[in-house]
Structures are given as structure tokens and as C-alpha cells.
Amino acid sequence: MIKKETMLIKFVEQIALDTIEMVVENAYISKTAIPGQFLHVAVDGQTLRRPISIADINREKETITLLFKIVGSGTAKLATLKPGMSMDVLGPSGNGFQIVDKEPSTILLIGGGIGVPPLYYLGKTLAEKNKEIISILGFQTEKSVFYEEKFSSLGRTYIVTNDGSYGETGFVTDVIEKAGQFDRYYSCGPVPMLKAITAKLVDKPGMISLEERMGCGVGACMACVIPTDSNGGYKKICSDGPVFHAQEVSL
Ligand code: FES
């Protein structure tokens, strides 16, 4: 259930180009949030909010790791917050990734840019369920790369940069063959990337998480709607998603 909560900031660090990692403390969110859900963080008072994805949770310490990119005035303001300060959030919001517990399986995680963080919390959760994890993480350039070590601790990891300054050169879709056999995939990143992935992996079961600028974040304003393939209807990214089955929405 979405609640309005106050989070105490414990740690803030820039970990890559324009990319901020923030660790916050909150008992309710740390106990209830599942991979793929997000927090709607108040940036200025309580009116302006930004959806921020959950990169990790430590249930014992009751901490949540948030990761965001500075893309405008709201996220720039968030990046100025310091340990010891608190912030107001609504969450945990949205529907997260569904995990199939049955039979052992190999999972492919495919993340692009700021779509990478929610896949880490998902990958950790899947690894605890004895799934084999393969990750493909795409970034624009070497300076944008983060969490390579963390994903490598979960399993085989490929880093791809668009300009070839680090790892493989090109796009995440160029590396899928190298990853080998897998049973299911989960992906998060920009829409053109998700479109290319769902077209390429049309025969595989998968789930995608959509990054979208949101308004209310709770299903009330229709600012985030996306068409579905099935019946010509629409789904709201903030409340029906942000995670959908791969062929459920029209990208
Ligand atoms: Fe308002 Fe989704 S952001 S309905």
C-alpha cells in the first residue's frame, strides 16, 4: 500500500556522470517494496515529485538505495540534499517485477542507463532464489558506467557503451547473442531500447519496466498513459506499471 513517509538521508555520492546514489532509512518502505517499484520523491515542498527507482534494499538496516540521474532542476535539487536531512516520499509505488519461483532457470537482465538500478535489486532477489543471472548493461560512454562490480557479483556481466569507450561497442541488443541461452528476461531503460529488445526477443517470456516522466504518480492525472496492443485501451505507467509483460503494451 502506498503511504506518505519521511526518509532520513544516510549517504549521498556521485557514482558516475550526473548519477547520484542516495541511501535513505525508512522502516515501512524497506519492509514492503519489491523490485521494480519506485518512490515518488518530493523535490520542492510536497507538490513537485519525481519518480525515483529503488536500486537496493537492506531489510536489516531498514535502508533503501536510490539512484537517479540529474536531468533537470528537480533532480538537481535532489542531488543537493545531504546526510542528516530528510525527504518526503510516496511509496512503494507501482507494480513491480513478477518472479517465477518454480523450476531453476537462467535469467537475462538488460538495462540501459538509468534503467539499470531497479535491475540490481531484482537480480539480487533472483540470485537469492538460486536463479542463474546474466546481465547486459548499456551506457552512453565510460564515464556513465556504474554498478559493474555489483552485477558481476551476481553473474556474468556485459557492459556496452554506445561510443565504444568501455566494454563492448554499440547497443545492448548487439550483445544478446553473446549472452547465450536463457529462459526469461527482464529489462528497463529508454523506450527505443525496450522496443528493440521486445522485437528481438519476441518468442521469449519477459517483463519490461518503462521509464516515464510522471505527474501525480498515483493513477489520477493520465499524464503517463501508454496504449496496449490487445484491445486498443490504455494503461497507466505509474499505477498499472511501471513493469509490464513484454508484449502487453505498444511501445
Ligand atoms: Fe498521473 Fe500516472 S502520473 S496517472
Side-chain angles (χ1 to χ4, degrees):
M1 185 176 70
I2 298 176
K3 281 191 181 177
K4 187 166 170 298
E5 290 282 313
T6 301
M7 308 187 110
L8 176 66
I9 299 170
K10 306 289 283 182
F11 174 87
V12 185
E13 188 182 27
Q14 180 168 350
I15 58 165
L17 183 67
D18 295 332
T19 308
I20 305 294
E21 182 180 68
M22 184 181 273
V23 179
V24 297
E25 192 179 75
N26 180 278
Y28 176 70
I29 303 281
S30 66
K31 284 189 173 56
T32 53
I34 65 164
Q37 288 187 302
F38 65 94
L39 301 181
H40 216 205
V41 178
V43 173
D44 199 3
Q46 292 179 12
T47 47
L48 183 63
R49 290 182 182 272
R50 288 285 177 275
I52 306 286
S53 53
I54 296 170
D56 199 8
I57 283 186
N58 184 323
R59 291 213 154 94
E60 275 168 27
K61 292 185 178 167
E62 300 185 339
T63 58
I64 303 107
T65 302
L66 305 174
L67 230 148
F68 59 93
K69 194 155 184 145
I70 302 172
V71 290
S73 57
T75 40
K77 191 156 189 181
L78 266 189
T80 64
L81 297 178
K82 300 274 183 289
M85 298 169 88
S86 58
M87 60 187 193
D88 169 276
V89 305
L90 290 175
S93 300
N95 285 305
F97 292 104
Q98 291 170 14
I99 293 175
V100 182
D101 269 337
K102 287 176 274 163
E103 80 267 354
S105 53
T106 301
I107 305 292
L108 180 63
L109 305 177
I110 314 167
I114 208 63
V116 168
L119 296 183
Y120 179 65
Y121 181 30
L122 173 67
K124 237 179 76 172
T125 307
L126 289 165
E128 282 162 10
K129 294 178 183 292
N130 296 319
K131 310 288 184 191
E132 187 185 341
I133 311 291
I134 305 169
S135 304
I136 303 174
L137 312 177
F139 301 92
Q140 282 178 339
T141 187
E142 182 178 11
K143 285 193 169 71
S144 316
V145 176
F146 60 86
Y147 275 24
E148 180 180 8
E149 260 181 42
K150 284 180 182 279
F151 278 89
S152 297
S153 73
L154 301 176
R156 188 154 40 96
T157 298
Y158 300 87
I159 303 290
V160 193
T161 53
N162 301 151
D163 65 0
S165 53
Y166 190 78
E168 313 276 337
T169 303
F171 297 95
V172 290
T173 39
D174 300 327
V175 184
I176 288 176
E177 274 83 16
K178 272 196 183 175
Q181 292 300 312
F182 61 93
D183 302 300
R184 178 178 296 277
Y185 75 94
Y186 296 93
S187 186
C188 183
V191 169
M193 183 195 100
L194 295 175
K195 200 169 177 171
I197 288 167
T198 50
K200 191 169 180 118
L201 300 178
V202 69
D203 296 326
K204 286 277 187 189
M207 297 196 87
I208 55 171
S209 178
L210 295 170
E211 295 179 340
E212 193 77 12
R213 205 180 174 98
M214 293 179 198
C216 68
V218 291
C221 75
M222 308 296 278
C224 64
V225 292
I226 184 163
T228 58
D229 273 341
S230 49
N231 55 8
Y234 286 84
K235 297 245 179 191
K236 295 173 195 165
I237 291 173
C238 70
S239 53
D240 297 319
V243 176
F244 295 97
H245 289 284
Q247 311 298 334
E248 187 180 351
V249 286
S250 180
L251 297 171

